[in-house]
């Protein structure tokens, strides 16, 4: 009986392994808390992605350490395609800020595609007497040391984008650190902080409702989704650029056929009208680049952020 049972187990296991991918639900790890831009993107993608893949896609939030905990969990998962990771800008910034990061963005992951791109939105409290980037710069220069900006933490993209503005214009601003983008944006809305480079996904509806004033987007050209907002670059800061991404990755050594299957399913999902319309409402645009292009994006982002960290003299933790 024991031998028969063992043989049955072996046969069942062999059959399971022989099944074409995917044969069970897929876990999509998000390293940030529910309600943020990355979580919103994951939950917008999951239903359509699951339908195209032929299996449910379940979002698994593993927040902590600015996304490092979730990234570490995904990096150590079996490379079988059943655990994927949705990375955002903190994925690369963490590695230039942490001395002993638990993952390597390049070596520990197989890139699949960039789901979507979204610029950051430069927003100010309604009571700040500026209506453009030029006026903001002039205000900062005429009120030295008075202007402050919020971010979700030291070395966060919001922080580094603020440092980029300081470096590009010669203005001085005080960095106000918060434990998350939500509380930071809430204090800009409440008038306790002057400004913030906020995720457009989480801030656009506040700007459109008039609860805060949006001055510009951080992309190199105007967004086709919100063309009414000028870029920081065209507003008097040539070359200014910082764009958020939502990169889909798998653990390193995931088989190429699995990567190809996931890539094809995602491309079909992000072309769906309901997905395009949903993320457009948040100011994002679908991408769908190749794995090689996503790898290049990550490498370029690490270089840009590393240079900013060094210029701003931010100590590695």
């Amino acid at each position: 009986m024991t031998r028969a049972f063992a043989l049955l187990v072996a046969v069942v296991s062999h059959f399971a392994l022989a099944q074409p991918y995917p044969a069970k639900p897929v876990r999509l790890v998000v390293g940030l808390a529910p309600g943020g831009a990355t979580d919103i993107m994951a939950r917008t993608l999951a239903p359509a992605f699951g339908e195209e893949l032929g299996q449910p896609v379940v979002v698994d939030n593993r927040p902590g350490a600015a996304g490092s905990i979730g990234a570490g969990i995904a990096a150590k998962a079996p490379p079988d395609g059943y655990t994927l990771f949705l990375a955002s800008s903190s994925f690369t910034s963490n590695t230039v800020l942490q001395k002993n990061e638990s993952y390597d963005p390049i070596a520990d992951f197989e890139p699949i595609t960039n789901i979507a791109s979204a610029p950051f939105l430069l927003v100010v409290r309604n009571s700040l007497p500026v209506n453009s980037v030029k006026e903001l710069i002039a205000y900062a220069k005429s009120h030295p040391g008075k202007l402050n900006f919020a971010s979700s933490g030291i070395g966060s993209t919001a922080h580094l984008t603020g440092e980029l503005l300081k470096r590009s214009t010669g203005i001085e601003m005080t960095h106000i650190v918060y434990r998350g983008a939500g509380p930071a944006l809430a204090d800009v809305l409440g008038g306790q902080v002057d400004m913030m480079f906020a995720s457009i996904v989480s801030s656009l509806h506040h700007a459109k409702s008039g609860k805060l004033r949006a001055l510009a987007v951080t992309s190199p050209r105007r967004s086709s989704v919100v063309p009414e907002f000028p870029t920081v670059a065209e507003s008097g800061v040539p070359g200014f650029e910082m764009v958020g991404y939502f990169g889909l990755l798998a653990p390193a050594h995931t088989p190429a056929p699995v990567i190809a299957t996931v890539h094809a399913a995602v491309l079909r999902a992000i072309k769906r009208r309901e997905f395009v319309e949903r993320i457009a409402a948040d100011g994002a645009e679908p991408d769908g680049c190749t794995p090689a292009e996503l790898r290049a994006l990550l490498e370029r982002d690490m270089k840009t952020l590393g240079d900013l960290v060094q210029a701003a003299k931010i100590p590695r933790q």
Side-chain angles (χ1 to χ4, degrees):
M1 181 66 70
T2 302
R3 287 184 178 179
F5 180 74
L7 180 60
L8 177 62
V9 170
V11 170
V12 171
S13 298
H14 176 76
F15 178 74
L17 289 172
Q19 286 182 295
Y21 174 86
K24 61 181 182 179
V26 172
R27 177 175 64 151
L28 179 57
V29 177
V30 174
L32 300 165
T38 309
D39 176 69
I40 292 171
M41 185 62 67
R43 295 182 186 279
T44 303
L45 173 69
F49 179 27
E51 289 178 11
E52 295 293 348
L53 200 58
Q55 289 288 345
V57 174
V58 181
V59 177
D60 182 9
N61 293 89
R62 296 299 184 97
S68 291
I69 291 176
I73 289 171
K76 295 176 177 62
D80 54 11
Y82 291 105
T83 296
L84 303 175
F85 182 67
L86 189 61
S88 56
S89 300
S90 63
F91 178 69
T92 40
S93 64
N94 286 342
T95 59
V96 300
L97 287 161
Q98 305 297 330
K99 291 180 180 178
N100 299 302
E101 188 53 271
S102 61
Y103 66 93
D104 184 308
I106 306 301
D108 292 339
F109 291 89
E110 299 291 345
I112 301 173
T113 191
N114 183 29
I115 302 299
S117 296
F120 297 95
L121 194 60
L122 172 53
V123 296
V124 302
R125 58 180 170 85
N126 275 335
S127 55
L128 193 69
V130 301
N131 292 287
S132 67
V133 174
K134 287 183 179 179
E135 290 183 6
L136 178 71
I137 295 169
Y139 179 90
K141 290 183 175 179
S142 62
H143 297 78
K146 296 295 185 181
L147 200 64
N148 56 45
F149 71 103
S151 88
S152 56
I154 295 175
S156 65
T157 306
H159 174 203
L160 294 178
T161 309
E163 294 292 343
L164 179 60
L165 184 66
K166 289 169 58 178
R167 181 184 178 190
S168 302
T169 61
I171 64 173
E172 287 299 322
M173 299 188 295
T174 301
H175 178 211
I176 309 298
V177 184
Y178 287 82
R179 291 185 171 221
L185 186 60
D187 271 9
V188 180
L189 284 161
Q192 286 81 26
V193 185
D194 294 322
M195 56 172 280
M196 179 180 180
F197 283 97
S199 163
I200 198 169
V201 174
S202 58
S203 62
L204 181 60
H205 62 287
H206 294 305
K208 287 190 171 183
S209 68
K211 292 181 179 178
L212 48 73
R213 188 177 304 125
L215 302 185
V217 293
T218 60
S219 47
R221 58 184 179 276
R222 292 198 183 201
S223 167
S224 63
V225 177
V226 282
E228 64 269 29
F229 297 129
T231 68
V232 176
E234 74 179 272
S235 302
V237 192
F240 192 100
E241 177 183 349
M242 189 72 74
V243 180
Y245 62 86
F246 298 92
L248 186 66
L249 305 105
H253 309 301
T254 298
V258 171
I259 297 295
T261 297
V262 173
H263 186 269
V266 169
L267 258 59
R268 293 193 298 271
I270 66 175
K271 289 177 181 177
R272 289 188 176 194
R273 185 178 67 180
E274 61 269 26
F275 179 83
V276 175
E277 291 177 347
R278 175 65 184 84
I279 68 169
D282 291 326
E285 301 177 71
D287 187 344
C289 68
T290 67
E293 288 170 334
L294 177 56
R295 185 180 297 279
L297 184 156
L298 297 176
E299 291 174 343
R300 184 172 63 251
D301 203 49
M302 288 177 66
K303 174 67 167 59
T304 300
L305 296 177
D307 290 346
L308 278 173
V309 166
Q310 186 175 7
K313 298 181 180 178
I314 301 172
R316 290 172 67 91
Q317 303 297 313

